[in-house]
């Protein structure tokens, strides 16, 4: 599929927002102790990075134990 | 009043600290812009999969915006319910609710501060999402008058606030956070189905607001029953808030 100039401009903000969400999720994860996440921290790193938007959303909604 | 303000600011601070103020608006923004963007690329997607692009009609700008609104009713509602399910229940379990309520703080200010926090965050999120949809629709398709954008948004947001209030009420009543989210979403689904099936007897249903919001976009008018549904939804929200205060008081004396 060929993307034109406008196509790239349209897609870029979407990619940037997804990247921001991923970074915030990883920052939050790195600041938490082992007991403050549901399941191992390493598993969440994989879910957040490989799961794109869905991975970060799942982490924010059900991944954190306290204060969520 | 001043205790309410204090608790409200504490609530805002907490949602900032656990990044709710960043991730919920951003996810709603993505939900909002995903529909105009995919519609824009639809001819290319169809072409690459071998379907003639002119077989599928291009939706109008207002149709695209109406479809974006319905995204908030499915994925958006799921996100809101999951992130607010523990708003009181988790605080009670961790003991921080007791730390607040042992001071001379009324249950009413406590619940109202919680509710205002949810409301401000939800309105900011859907507002940002709707602005994103509007911006993209204007750039990629024809422009939509702003009057339709904000009126439809307010009507739709009232439905989300109604479900939010149910989540808050259940959070005061129940202990299991998963159950709270499940029942809130269940109520939303059952109401939506009942309203569709019993079209004539459910003119007052809060779930009508979703249809009225798209009607505003498509025809400029929300329909005659819209104000009835709006008035009743506000009444339901007030009743649920009163119920939450009572439930919070009862749970307090019990534990």
């Amino acid at each position: 599929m060929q993307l034109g100039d406008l196509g790239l401009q349209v897609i870029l903000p979407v990619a940037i927002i997804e990247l921001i969400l991923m970074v915030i999720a990883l920052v939050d994860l790195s600041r938490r102790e082992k007991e403050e996440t549901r399941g191992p921290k390493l598993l969440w790193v994989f879910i957040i990075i490989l799961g794109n938007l869905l991975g970060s959303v799942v982490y924010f909604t059900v991944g954190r134990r306290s204060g969520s | 009043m001043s205790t309410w303000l204090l608790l409200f600011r504490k609530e805002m601070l907490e949602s900032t600290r656990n990044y709710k103020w960043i991730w919920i608006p951003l996810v709603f923004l993505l939900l909002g812009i995903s529909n105009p963007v995919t519609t824009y690329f639809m001819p290319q997607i169809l072409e690459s999969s071998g379907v003639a692009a002119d077989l599928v009609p291009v939706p109008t700008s207002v149709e695209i915006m109406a479809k974006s609104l319905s995204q908030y009713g499915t994925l958006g509602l799921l996100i809101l319910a999951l992130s607010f399910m523990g708003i009181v229940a988790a605080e009670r379990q961790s003991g921080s609710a007791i730390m607040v309520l042992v001071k001379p703080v009324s249950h009413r200010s406590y619940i109202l501060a919680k509710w205002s926090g949810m409301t401000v965050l939800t309105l900011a999120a859907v507002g940002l999402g709707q602005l994103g949809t509007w911006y993209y629709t204007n750039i990629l398709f024809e422009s939509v008058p702003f009057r339709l954008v904000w009126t439809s948004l307010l009507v739709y947001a009232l439905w989300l606030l109604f479900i939010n209030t149910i989540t808050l009420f259940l959070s005061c009543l129940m202990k299991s956070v998963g159950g709270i989210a499940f029942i809130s979403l269940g109520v939303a689904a059952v109401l939506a189905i009942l309203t569709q099936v019993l079209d004539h007897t459910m003119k007052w249903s809060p779930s009508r607001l979703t249809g009225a919001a798209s009607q505003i976009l498509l025809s400029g008018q929300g329909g005659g029953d819209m104000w009835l549904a709006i008035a009743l939804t506000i009444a339901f929200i007030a009743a649920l808030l009163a119920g939450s205060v009572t439930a919070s008081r009862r749970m307090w004396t019990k534990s």
Side-chain angles (χ1 to χ4, degrees):
Chain A
M1 198 170 84
Q2 197 73 35
L3 287 181
D5 261 359
L6 183 61
L8 194 67
Q9 279 174 33
V10 168
I11 286 295
L12 202 59
V14 178
I16 291 173
I17 297 171
E18 285 197 14
L19 195 68
I20 295 173
L21 279 170
M22 195 188 282
V23 169
I24 299 168
L26 288 174
V27 168
D28 185 87
L29 183 66
S30 68
R31 284 189 185 160
R32 273 167 199 274
E33 298 294 317
K34 230 186 242 164
E35 305 79 44
E36 288 177 326
T37 58
R38 283 176 217 275
K41 280 176 83 170
L42 192 64
L43 178 72
W44 281 110
V45 174
F46 281 113
I47 293 177
I48 292 167
I49 291 175
L50 298 178
N52 278 333
L53 174 64
L54 204 65
S56 324
V57 169
V58 169
Y59 171 71
F60 280 125
T61 47
V62 294
R64 306 181 292 178
R65 210 178 275 279
S66 61
S68 61
Chain B
M1 194 64 189
S2 61
T3 41
W4 171 81
L5 196 66
L6 203 71
L7 287 171
F8 176 67
R9 277 161 69 183
K10 169 191 159 281
E11 199 64 23
M12 290 284 104
L13 186 70
E14 208 177 302
S15 330
T16 314
R17 284 221 182 111
N18 59 29
Y19 299 108
K20 259 186 199 165
W21 263 106
I22 304 174
W23 78 264
I24 295 182
L26 280 184
V27 170
F28 270 82
L29 181 60
L30 274 182
L31 282 183
I33 63 182
S34 68
N35 195 40
V37 168
T38 45
T39 314
Y40 176 73
F41 286 119
M42 198 47 92
Q44 279 160 288
I45 295 169
L46 289 176
E47 219 167 274
S48 66
S49 57
V51 184
D54 45 358
L55 281 181
V56 183
V58 179
T60 60
S61 292
V62 282
E63 277 170 2
I64 295 168
M65 292 211 66
K67 208 172 158 225
S68 276
L69 270 186
S70 69
Q71 295 256 24
Y72 305 143
T74 49
L75 282 169
L77 214 52
L78 180 70
I79 286 165
L80 290 176
L82 285 176
S83 53
F84 291 135
M85 61 191 179
I87 191 160
V88 175
E91 276 206 352
R92 207 167 41 221
Q93 258 164 15
S94 70
S96 58
I98 292 177
M99 297 290 277
V100 172
L101 288 165
V102 81
K103 301 190 178 78
V105 166
S106 72
H107 286 263
R108 197 167 52 181
S109 340
Y110 175 71
I111 295 295
L112 270 183
K114 290 271 175 213
W115 185 79
S116 319
M118 293 163 94
T119 302
V120 174
L121 182 52
T122 306
L123 286 179
V126 287
L128 187 69
Q130 180 83 330
L131 277 180
T133 316
W134 188 52
Y135 179 76
Y136 265 85
T137 312
N138 277 355
I139 286 186
L140 303 175
F141 304 92
E142 286 155 42
S143 60
V144 178
F146 189 62
R147 185 182 61 86
L148 302 182
V149 177
W150 69 265
T151 43
S152 63
L153 176 75
L154 281 185
V155 172
Y156 204 96
L158 192 60
W159 160 247
L160 296 180
L161 294 184
F162 171 68
I163 302 297
N164 268 353
T165 318
I166 292 180
T167 310
L168 174 69
F169 176 60
L170 292 171
S171 200
C172 294
L173 273 182
M174 297 166 58
K175 283 205 174 108
S176 131
V177 282
I180 292 165
F182 183 76
I183 295 179
S184 326
L185 293 171
V187 169
V190 167
L191 254 183
I193 292 168
L194 276 184
T195 310
Q196 277 196 336
V197 174
L198 308 169
D199 194 35
H200 285 287
T201 44
M202 301 275 283
K203 283 198 191 309
W204 47 270
S205 162
S207 151
R208 285 249 162 184
L209 296 173
T210 59
S214 351
Q215 271 304 309
I216 290 176
L217 279 169
L218 296 176
S219 65
Q221 295 281 316
D225 303 324
M226 183 182 77
W227 289 106
L228 177 69
I230 288 179
L232 263 146
T233 307
I234 293 173
F236 277 135
I237 289 177
L240 281 167
L241 278 177
S244 309
V245 176
T246 318
S248 167
R249 219 172 264 149
R250 190 163 297 168
M251 289 299 271
W252 171 250
T253 44
K254 221 192 262 175
S255 58

